[in-house]
Each structure stands twice: as structure tokens, then as C-alpha cells.
Amino acid sequence: MTALDTQGPTRREPAPAGSRTGGPGAPVKGRARTALRLLPLSPAIVLMAIFLAGPIGYALYGSLTNAALSGYRAANPDFVGLDNYTRLLSSGQFWESAWLTLLFVVASAVIGQNVLGMALALLLRSGPKRLGSVVSALVVMAWVLPEIVAAFTLYAFFSSEGTLNTALGWLGLDGPSWLILFPMLSVILANVWRGTAFSMMVYNAALAEVPPEITESAQIDGASALQRFSRITLPMIRRAIATNMMLTTLQTLGVFTLIWVMTGGGPGTKSSTLPVLAFQQAFKFAQVGYGTAIATVTLVIGAAFALVYVRVLKPEVD
Amino acid sequence: MTESTTQASRREPSGVAAMPGTVAPPVPSPAPPQLSSPTRKGTTLAAGAALVIVAVAFVVPLAWLLLASINPSATVSVTVPTSPTLQNYRTVLTPELTFTPLLNSLVISGTTALITVLVAVLAAYPLSRYKMRFNRSFLYTILFGSCLPITAVMVPVYALFVTLGLLDSVPGTILFLAATSLPMAVWMMKNFMDSVPISLEEAAWVDGASSMQALRRVVVPLMRPGLAVVFIFVFTQAWGNFFVPFVLLLDPAKQPAAVSIYTFFGTNGAIAYGQLAAFSVLYSVPVLVLYLLVQRLAGGSFALAGSVKG
């Protein structure tokens, strides 16, 4: 058995999973055996290579052309080198959109969803149990709803004749047209409404893992509730916080439907985050090459965050 | 005197060491070592109040959806209908408005989930059962892939589909949806498969089963809850996906509910909010039901280890 174990060139340690001869096909040795074992992976690899890696490679190439949506330049785009990128980096609209994306991600995900999610997780533990389960069911429902339904619902809520302004009217206030005057605020609040459930569930699970003995002993030593939370609970769940920040950031970076339905990126481009701008450039202004360049930039930003997540946080693989 | 003693003794249980003869005011004793009940009650009350505020913020938009759907004269503002009817539902329950789009959604999401589960089970097997250096890098790669903002690549995907002649093709859309959900599905499937004890499979090997036979006859039946969870997860994501079919499918007859609801809203939304809400409810109910189902299944899938004993 040990002889067999050392044969495999790719095997580092005789793990329990690999400590038997791998069933049938045992006579096949070395690389051939590894290849045979990896065979079931091939459908997944082929599918992901064509439809996942394919578009990414195509994005890198397409962003270097002047492809149009239709007509001559759609079928025969010219290679224009880095023109799209130089145009992009010198365009005020791109930088405005990049700033809006940053604002959207930081305000709605990093701050909004994370803080509200944490607050809810804490409230669920200290508030009345039955009320807590009702609230968490409602929050989760907003998250489970199809994105486009959530978008319609929030469009109605923030409309100038919508529920929010009706409620403000009861208080004698004249609410503005939120979607037109404050489009970013509207979509940020909408994304908090829609996405908080995820953070709430992550933090709820994380808080349940903190042993109560530790906070209790700190309490006996005279630590206030705030001190116990900031000095003991937060440091103990910092991994969950970092992971959640990363995942909500990546999720929010790709948000399209919510913004598209609520404001269409407008008025003008006042709420066009990068995914919305890429879509507008490609399909509204028929500049596929330029839109692809914007998409590529967004993808690179996302990839950087994903890389940090995988490399620094190192989720358990085995 | 006697009166004050009884008073003092009455106070005793609350932990205040009252001196006889003094009517102790209800001030807290200096630094009580344990959380006294009034404070805890106060925290619960404050937390309850905060929860009520959150509940209102979340329930109001949801209430609009339900109330507007039964209101024949619904607006964008939430109102309790004076004469609730099912008229909105009757109006939208026509083949071209609801049944065809929902059927399209079912076909697209169902096939996507089926392909994904099938491919993911196959892929998860070597990842879970063999210890290879390849596994680690592969798993990190797909984890990385599952994090990428796929919406960002929809423009190049459109261009690629034009080149491949797959634009407006339902199978093409399904394959794309399957490929984008595969990283997460493989990841989940591998974890579920890890919890199926290897000893059962070894028994099958001893009896001369091939690895694929062992997968089909032993592992898959044992991880049915896991398969269901992955299936529902992928199905729900595809069902709710608006952007991918919006870009890749042009023919209204092929479009799923997510896109037709948007088209409907674009053309009739300003007048027919009640119908829009009714349509949204019909379209959302399957997802809500599946979510409840997955909650039950996820709880049960960890009981697998029990099959080793006995």
C-alpha cells in the first residue's frame, strides 16, 4: 500500500481518501492514472472554458477593437489597440461612473448591509424572540424575491407618488422625487433593503459561535456592553466580518437589474455605475468595443477583490 | 418602627441592603456584579423597539406588492383596497402574459439546474475522493471564478454569442447560465460529497464496482439532500436572473418571466400597477416555496454520517 502511495507523482500525503488503490483501473500508473481520475472533471472544465473563460478572453480582445452593435463594424471590427482605454481614462463620464460605483459599493454594501446586518444579528439575540423571527423572515424575504420584483417594489416605494412620499405627507412633509433628485441615495437604500439578509445571516451564525463564558467573565470584570462588543465579540468574529465584507462588495459591484429598473442609470448618467454604463455604451450608443472596455475594467476590479478574498482569507479547501 | 422593618424586609429580595428605618429610594446599589433584571428588561424593550422599526421598513414595500395585486385601482403608493378583487390576477393569467413566460422560465431554469447538477456531481467526485495537488489549485480557481461579477461581462458575452451564432438561442442561454453557476455548484457539491463517508464506497469497490458505479449507486443516493440543495440553488438563481436572458434572448416568445415582466412594465406599468404586482406575485411564489424547501433539506443533510453505523 505504501509503495502504491509513493508512485503517484501528484500525491503529497497518504490521506485517508487516497489510501486505497482508487478502485478499478488500479494497474494504470502515474500520470495516466491521474488523467483517468480527472476525467469526470472534463465536462465542467469544457463548459467553463467556453462560456466563462471564453467571454473573459473575448472581453480582453474585444476591448481592443472598435466593434459596433450592428452594421459594417459589427462584423468587421478593426483592431484599435488601447484606443478604447485611452478614451476611457480621459473621459469624465467614466471617472464619474467609477466614483458612483465606489459610492454605491461602500455606502450600500460595506456600510449599509454590513452595519445593518450586524445590528440585526445583535438585536435578534437580545430582543423578544417571536418578534425577532418575524423580522428575520421579512428581511430574508426581501432577499429571496427575484431581483426584478424587488426592483419594481422599491421603484414604487421611492416614486414621487409612492409610499415613502405618502408617509411623509402624513407628517406634513412634502417629499421630493427621490428617483430623480436623489437617484444614488434611492438605489443605495434599495440595495441595503435587498441585500442585508445575507450579512444578517452570516453575523447571526458568527455570533452564535462566540462562547458566552468569555463575554460573561468580561462582564463580571466590569466591562460595559460596548466594551464587550468592541474588545471581545468583534475581534473574535473578525474573520466572518472580513469574508462578509468581501462577498458583499463583490456582489454589489455586479448589481445591474436593481439600478436599471429603478432609475435606468439616470437621470442622464447620474446613477450609472460601471455595469450600467457598459450596458448603455454597448446597447444604447452601439459602441460594443467601448462598452467592452468598461466591462473589462469592472471585471479587473472584481478580480482584484476576488484574488484578495481567495489569497488572503484562504477559505478552507480541504 | 414595625412598619419600616416590614418595608425593609420586603425590599430585601431585590438585593438592596436596606438599613432598618430608612425607606430606601429605588436607586441601584453600587455596581451590582450581575445584570439586574430592570436593565435586561430595558435592553429587551429597546431591542424590540428597534426591531419594530426595521420590520416596518421591510414590510411596507412587501405589503405594497400584495395589496396592489388585489387592488383594481392600484397606484405606486401602498393603500388598503376598498374592494379587494382577484381581477388583476384574472387579467394577467393569459397564455401570452403569464403562462408562456413562466413555462419559458421553467424550461430555462430547470434545464440549467439539471445540467449544472449533473456536471457538478461528476466534477466533485475526483475533487472529493482523490488527494491530488491539482485539486487545490482547481478549487481555488473556481472559488475565484464564483466571485467574479458576471454582470460585468454581459457585453462581451453578447459579442461572443453574435460570433458563435448563439444569439437568441435558448440552449445557448442555458449553457451560459449553467457555466456561470458551475463554480459555486461544484464548490457546494464537493462539500456535500465530503460528508458522505468513504467507507461505504470502499465496500462497493471491494465488490468490484467501478468508481463511476460507486458514484451512481452509493454516493449519489446518499447525498440526495445535497443534490436537491444545489439544484434548488441553481434553479432559483436562473429563475430570478433578468440580465442574462435580457441580453441574450430577443424573441419575446422565448423570453422568461423575468424579461417579460420588464417588457410589460415598460409598456403598461404606468397604468397597470395592480397587474404588475399580480404578475410579480405569481412569478415570486415558486422561489419562496423552494427557499422554504431548501431550509428543510439543508437541516437534514448533516444526518448522513449516521449511515456508517449499524
Side-chain angles (χ1 to χ4, degrees), chain A residues 15 17 20 24 37 40-41 44 51 58 131 140 148 152-153 156 161 163 166 193 254 256 260 295 303 310 315 317-318, chain B residues 57-58 61 76-78 119 122 126 129 131 136 139-140 143-144 151-152 163 176 190 198 202 205 210 242-243 262 265:
Chain A
R20 18 118 212 90
R37 285 177 168 185
L41 269 169
F51 289 101
Y58 205 81
L131 179 64
V140 169
I148 192 145
F152 283 138
T153 308
E161 307 288 315
T163 309
T166 310
W193 186 86
F256 171 84
W260 184 250
V310 173
V317 158
D318 294 310
Chain B
F58 276 83
V76 280
S77 181
V78 63
V119 173
L122 284 174
R129 283 339 193 204
K131 195 98 185 169
R136 215 179 157 72
L139 281 168
Y140 275 129
L143 189 69
F144 173 75
T151 41
T163 315
F176 177 70
K190 191 242 167 203
I198 190 123
E202 279 171 334
W205 278 331
S210 73
F242 161 76
F243 199 23
Y262 177 79
F265 176 73

Side-chain angles (χ1 to χ4, degrees), chain A residues 9-13 15-18 20 22-24 34 37-38 40-41 43-45 47-48 50-52 54-56 58-59 69 116 120 123-124 126-128 131-132 135 138-149 152-157 159 161-163 166 192-193 196 201 219-220 247 250 253-257 260-261 275 278-279 282-283 288 291-292 295 298-299 302-303 306-307 309-310 314-318, chain B residues 33 35 43-44 46-48 50-52 54-55 57-62 64-65 76-78 115 119 122-123 125-136 138-140 142-145 147-161 163-164 166 172 175-176 178-180 182-183 186-187 190 194 198 202 205 209-212 236 239-240 242-243 246-247 258 261-262 265 273 276 280 283-284 287-288 291:
Chain A
T10 54
R11 191 176 295 163
R12 276 172 306 165
E13 58 202 289
R20 18 118 212 90
T34 308
R37 285 177 168 185
L38 291 178
L41 269 169
I45 292 175
L47 210 52
M48 287 192 285
I50 298 175
F51 289 101
L52 209 57
I56 293 171
Y58 205 81
L69 191 59
L116 185 59
L120 275 170
L123 287 172
L124 291 180
S126 53
L131 179 64
V135 172
L138 285 171
V139 175
V140 169
M141 194 155 163
W143 180 68
V144 175
L145 277 185
E147 192 178 5
I148 192 145
V149 174
F152 283 138
T153 308
L154 292 162
Y155 167 84
F157 184 76
S159 291
E161 307 288 315
T163 309
T166 310
V192 173
W193 186 86
T196 295
M201 291 188 289
Q219 194 173 3
I220 290 166
L247 294 181
L250 282 161
L253 192 63
V255 167
F256 171 84
T257 307
W260 184 250
V261 170
F279 181 84
F283 295 105
V288 174
T292 303
T298 319
L299 195 68
L307 209 60
Y309 170 64
V310 173
K314 286 205 170 63
E316 291 277 319
V317 158
D318 294 310
Chain B
L35 208 66
T43 331
T44 313
L51 281 174
V52 167
V54 175
F58 276 83
V59 86
V60 166
L62 293 171
W64 173 80
L65 198 61
V76 280
S77 181
V78 63
I115 293 175
V119 173
L122 284 174
Y125 188 75
L127 293 173
S128 168
R129 283 339 193 204
Y130 304 121
K131 195 98 185 169
M132 290 177 283
R133 198 175 297 158
F134 174 82
N135 288 0
R136 215 179 157 72
F138 184 79
L139 281 168
Y140 275 129
I142 61 161
L143 189 69
F144 173 75
C147 288
L148 290 178
I150 293 304
T151 41
V153 294
M154 279 325 286
V155 175
V157 167
Y158 174 86
L160 180 68
F161 269 52
T163 315
L164 297 177
L166 282 174
L175 286 176
F176 177 70
T180 49
L182 256 179
V186 171
W187 183 260
K190 191 242 167 203
D194 282 348
I198 190 123
E202 279 171 334
W205 278 331
S210 73
S211 61
M212 283 300 110
T236 310
W239 183 271
F242 161 76
F243 199 23
F246 179 57
V247 170
I261 204 174
Y262 177 79
F265 176 73
Y273 283 109
L276 175 78
S280 301
Y283 166 57
S284 305
V287 178
L288 296 176
Y291 178 76

Side-chain angles (χ1 to χ4, degrees), chain A residues 252-279:
Chain A
T252 305
L253 192 63
V255 167
F256 171 84
T257 307
L258 196 70
I259 299 177
W260 184 250
V261 170
M262 285 181 70
T263 67
T269 53
K270 284 206 166 60
S271 58
S272 291
T273 56
L274 288 171
V276 178
L277 188 70
F279 181 84

